[in-house]
């Protein structure tokens, strides 16, 4: 078996063990670089994929490869940039037209009894460090609803995948066991059902409908703020279901503690099970998600355009998809891929005011100006105290403001190692807890970054 054949055979097995989205994301442009004396070296397209393969997929990779070739005893991972690029170009498919809008079509197919939308599945959900915990908790629940984490409370900013994840849980549970009675409901919808039941004197019917469920999913509970009657109804529904061992899942854009005007007893129910957050994806993850969506929609775009989109849309996966839809529509209309200039024009309204966008250069410039040192000194390797500290602060801000991965941060500071970035971020985070002065300094620097 050649290396190529071995790799294809291993990938064929792995493909069945993980979701298509994760497969496309993490195994894209990988190959076996070398194999000798029981040691196999796999090449990944970037540091981020490499770390992810190493930490998450080493076990299944080893099983597959060792199963195919007993001589293989160890796997190593590396990033072989130039070779990777060449392969990419060779393997990238010819330009394709987008399929007819799958998304809009499926939007109409919301199930009447569960209110689930079939388009949200685990298969098209990309898992990366920013959502890994919430994803793992969700999988545990699917396996054994009502027992492991009850309730599950998922929180995170807008457009970062809460609804997708909650509905994926629902779709998987009823897909596996169709007899399960499951309901997905938004908090607004829940509120209006309660209000109209009260008005029509049908609260008993509403109660028994909810209490008959095996799984109840309530999305966006932050909207229950100040709605006393609805909160009371939810509290009693929760208790009835919980005592009967039924699974309850909530989402919110913030943790329970931070939801204002929420009855204490409901808050403590929210906090009584597992709380999992979805944070923000870093640059490489945004790029990976974009590529996975491109594959889904059968759209191909230049790397330059992908990187432009992933670096400018930072806080919201929905907007990332929106940008891609625009580019896909262009391809459909024109029968060709947009040039980089076309793409910029097309995305002007999505990517508002690029001059206001924060990037690593702006952050470094603001820090340098604040501490009255030269930008060059921040990037260089000098260990002078007047420079080291601002450099650490700048690294910390790249992490916080851009959600840059550690290798990315290291690279922007003259190619330093990712461990240097980790050390800097941890140090500043710790100091921030002890030093009011530092809190103020960083607040001032942030102001400069965003006003500059
Ligand atoms: P939220 O409910 O947190 O506001 P959504 O679940 O509505 O966010 O997600 C916004 C869009 O981004 C949806 O189209 C969803 O399919 C997509 N999306 C979010 N997270 C992921 C992910 N991890 N992988 C793939 N698509 C995602
Ligand atoms: Mg949502």
């Amino acid at each position: 078996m050649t290396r190529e054949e071995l790799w294809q055979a291993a990938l064929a097995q792995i493909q069945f063990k993980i979701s298509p989205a994760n497969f496309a994301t993490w195994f894209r442009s990988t190959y076996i670089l070398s194999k000798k004396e029981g040691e196999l070296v796999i090449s990944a397209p970037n540091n981020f994929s490499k770390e992810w393969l190493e930490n998450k997929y080493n076990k299944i990779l080893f099983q597959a490869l060792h199963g195919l070739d007993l001589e293989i005893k160890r796997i190593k991972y590396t990033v072989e940039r130039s070779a990777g690029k060449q392969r990419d170009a060779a393997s990238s498919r010819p330009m394709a037209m987008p399929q007819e809008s799958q998304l809009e079509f499926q939007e109409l197919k919301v199930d009447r009894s569960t209110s689930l939308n079939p388009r949200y599945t685990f298969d098209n959900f990309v898992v990366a460090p920013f959502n890994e915990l919430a994803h793992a908790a969700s999988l545990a629940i699917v396996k054994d609803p009502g027992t492991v984490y009850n309730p599950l409370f998922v929180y995170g900013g807008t457009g970062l995948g809460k609804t997708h994840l909650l509905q994926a849980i629902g779709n998987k549970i009823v897909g596996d066991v169709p007899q399960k009675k499951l309901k997905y409901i938004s908090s607004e919808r829940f509120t209006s059902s309660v209000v109209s039941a009260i008005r029509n004197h049908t609260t008993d019917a509403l109660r028994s409908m909810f209490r008959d469920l095996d799984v109840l999913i309530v999305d966006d509970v932050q909207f229950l703020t100040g709605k006393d009657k609805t909160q009371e109804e939810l509290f009693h529904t929760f208790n009835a279901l919980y005592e009967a061992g039924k699974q309850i899942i909530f989402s919110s854009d913030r943790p329970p503690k931070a939801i204002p005007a929420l009855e204490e007893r409901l808050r403590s129910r929210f906090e009584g099970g597992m709380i999992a957050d979805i944070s923000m994806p870093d640059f490489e993850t945004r790029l990976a998600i974009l590529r996975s969506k491109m594959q889904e929609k059968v759209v191909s775009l230049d790397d330059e355009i992908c990187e432009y989109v992933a670096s400018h849309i930072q806080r919201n996966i929905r907007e990332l998809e929106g940008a891609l839809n625009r580019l896909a529509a262009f391809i459909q209309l024109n029968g060709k891929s947009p040039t980089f200039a076309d793409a910029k024009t097309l995305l002007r309204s999505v990517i508002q005011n690029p001059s206001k966008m924060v990037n690593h250069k702006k952050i470094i410039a603001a820090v340098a100006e604040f501490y009255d040192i030269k930008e060059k000194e921040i990037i260089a390797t000098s260990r002078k105290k007047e420079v080291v500290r601002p450099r650490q602060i700048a690294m910390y801000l790249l992490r916080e403001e851009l959600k840059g991965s550690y290798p990315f941060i290291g690279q922007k500071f003259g190619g330093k190692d990712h461990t240097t970035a980790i050390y800097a971020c941890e140090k500043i985070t710790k100091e921030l807890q002890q030093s009011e002065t530092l809190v103020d300094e960083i607040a001032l620097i942030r102001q400069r970054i965003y006003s500059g």
Side-chain angles (χ1 to χ4, degrees):
M1 215 169 359
T2 65
R3 289 198 310 244
E4 183 79 32
E5 284 163 351
L6 176 63
W7 192 229
Q8 289 311 323
L11 289 185
Q13 291 182 16
I14 289 164
Q15 188 157 17
F16 292 109
K17 296 194 178 150
I18 66 177
S19 81
N22 283 344
F23 184 76
T25 305
W26 306 117
F27 288 87
R28 176 181 176 275
S29 310
T30 53
Y31 55 93
I32 297 175
L33 184 67
S34 67
K35 175 175 167 265
K36 58 172 174 259
E37 288 158 15
E39 180 174 290
L40 192 116
V41 181
I42 292 172
S43 170
N46 53 51
N47 269 317
F48 189 59
S49 310
K50 170 180 167 267
E51 280 174 28
W52 199 249
L53 290 175
E54 232 164 10
N55 298 328
K56 290 285 150 191
Y57 294 118
N58 184 51
K59 197 168 151 202
I60 57 169
L61 273 166
F62 183 77
Q63 280 169 353
L65 288 160
H66 183 73
L68 290 160
D69 182 345
L70 292 173
E71 275 179 15
I72 297 168
K73 299 278 184 320
R74 270 182 318 281
I75 304 182
K76 281 197 167 169
Y77 301 85
T78 183
V79 180
E80 231 229 346
R81 281 172 209 283
S82 55
K85 272 248 153 58
Q86 266 169 20
R87 280 199 174 232
D88 247 16
S91 68
S92 79
R93 270 176 280 172
M95 197 182 67
M97 300 292 286
Q99 286 171 335
E100 81 118 5
S101 185
Q102 241 174 16
L103 194 143
E104 281 156 41
F105 176 65
Q106 287 199 355
E107 220 70 71
L108 303 171
K109 291 202 306 192
V110 169
D111 183 278
R112 280 196 176 198
S113 75
T114 62
S115 309
L116 289 171
N117 184 328
R119 105 174 172 89
Y120 296 116
T121 64
F122 282 110
D123 281 350
N124 57 15
F125 190 78
V126 175
V127 184
F130 80 108
N131 61 12
E132 201 188 358
L133 176 65
H135 176 261
S138 303
L139 285 187
I141 283 177
V142 164
K143 257 197 192 154
D144 219 348
T147 55
V148 269
Y149 303 125
N150 209 12
L152 170 65
F153 190 100
V154 176
Y155 75 90
T158 321
L160 293 175
K162 301 182 296 295
T163 298
H164 189 138
L165 192 59
L166 263 54
Q167 295 221 16
I169 299 177
N171 279 317
K172 180 79 176 121
I173 291 177
V174 291
D176 287 351
V177 187
Q179 298 89 307
K180 286 252 191 229
K181 284 185 239 117
L182 179 148
K183 184 129 197 100
Y184 165 87
I185 191 163
S186 66
S187 292
E188 294 104 314
R189 198 73 180 261
F190 186 79
T191 303
S192 65
S193 326
V194 171
V195 170
S196 68
I198 293 172
R199 190 181 306 131
N200 302 327
H201 309 286
T202 53
T203 40
D204 284 348
L206 186 75
R207 276 181 200 158
S208 58
M209 188 278 281
F210 278 115
R211 289 170 202 186
D212 193 35
L213 293 169
D214 296 306
V215 182
L216 172 64
I217 303 174
V218 188
D219 206 352
D220 288 321
V221 294
Q222 75 274 9
F223 292 129
L224 296 176
T225 167
K227 309 232 162 61
D228 298 347
K229 274 273 177 271
T230 311
Q231 289 187 18
E232 192 182 328
E233 210 51 54
L234 183 60
F235 177 75
H236 292 300
T237 302
F238 178 94
N239 288 344
L241 290 174
Y242 183 83
E243 273 154 30
K246 304 304 171 68
Q247 180 71 49
I248 309 125
I249 306 167
F250 298 111
S251 87
S252 162
D253 68 352
R254 65 201 80 182
K257 273 203 181 34
I259 304 176
L262 183 70
E263 266 195 72
E264 203 40 52
R265 56 182 188 170
L266 195 52
R267 189 191 314 276
S268 76
R269 291 301 182 275
F270 288 166
E271 288 173 342
M274 162 80 150
I275 301 185
D277 75 318
I278 297 185
S279 62
M280 260 184 279
D282 57 26
F283 170 73
E284 283 89 347
T285 307
R286 297 196 295 271
L287 199 58
I289 291 175
L290 191 65
R291 293 205 158 116
S292 141
K293 304 257 171 212
M294 282 162 57
Q295 185 143 343
E296 212 176 291
K297 293 177 202 281
V298 203
V299 173
S300 69
L301 293 166
D302 281 354
D303 282 353
E304 195 185 15
I305 297 180
C306 295
E307 282 168 22
Y308 176 76
V309 173
S311 65
H312 284 80
I313 299 180
Q314 296 168 348
R315 287 163 194 266
N316 191 322
I317 298 171
R318 190 176 297 122
E319 286 172 10
L320 212 59
E321 271 187 321
L324 179 60
N325 286 340
R326 258 164 202 259
L327 297 166
F330 177 96
I331 299 178
Q332 203 163 31
L333 282 171
N334 299 284
K336 63 173 176 123
S337 287
T339 62
F340 187 51
D342 290 337
K344 275 184 158 171
T345 317
L346 278 168
L347 299 178
R348 202 171 281 158
S349 65
V350 194
I351 297 171
Q352 300 113 343
N353 202 349
S355 70
K356 280 247 182 296
M357 288 304 304
V358 177
N359 54 35
H360 71 277
K361 288 201 187 111
K362 276 199 183 166
I363 294 176
I364 294 172
V367 173
E369 193 195 25
F370 187 83
Y371 292 105
D372 197 22
I373 51 179
K374 295 205 179 72
E375 282 175 44
K376 257 196 251 152
E377 290 179 287
I378 291 200
I379 292 164
T381 48
S382 156
R383 291 180 184 276
K384 270 189 289 178
K385 199 165 159 234
E386 318 84 83
V387 184
V388 169
R389 196 175 155 75
R391 181 183 300 138
Q392 289 171 340
I393 290 174
M395 287 183 163
Y396 168 84
L397 284 166
L398 247 69
R399 179 78 181 163
E400 288 295 305
E401 305 305 304
L402 302 183
K403 306 292 157 198
S405 66
Y406 294 119
F408 168 83
I409 297 172
Q411 189 201 333
K412 296 302 173 208
F413 287 79
K416 295 192 176 58
D417 194 71
H418 72 280
T419 50
T420 310
I422 294 176
Y423 175 78
C425 294
E426 282 175 356
K427 180 150 182 284
I428 299 298
T429 306
K430 210 182 273 164
E431 265 182 58
L432 275 170
Q433 288 162 5
Q434 290 144 11
S435 159
E436 293 277 334
T437 333
L438 184 60
V439 172
D440 292 343
E441 275 178 28
I442 289 187
L444 289 168
I445 297 169
R446 277 207 173 95
Q447 272 176 18
R448 284 170 187 244
I449 295 171
Y450 288 96
S451 63

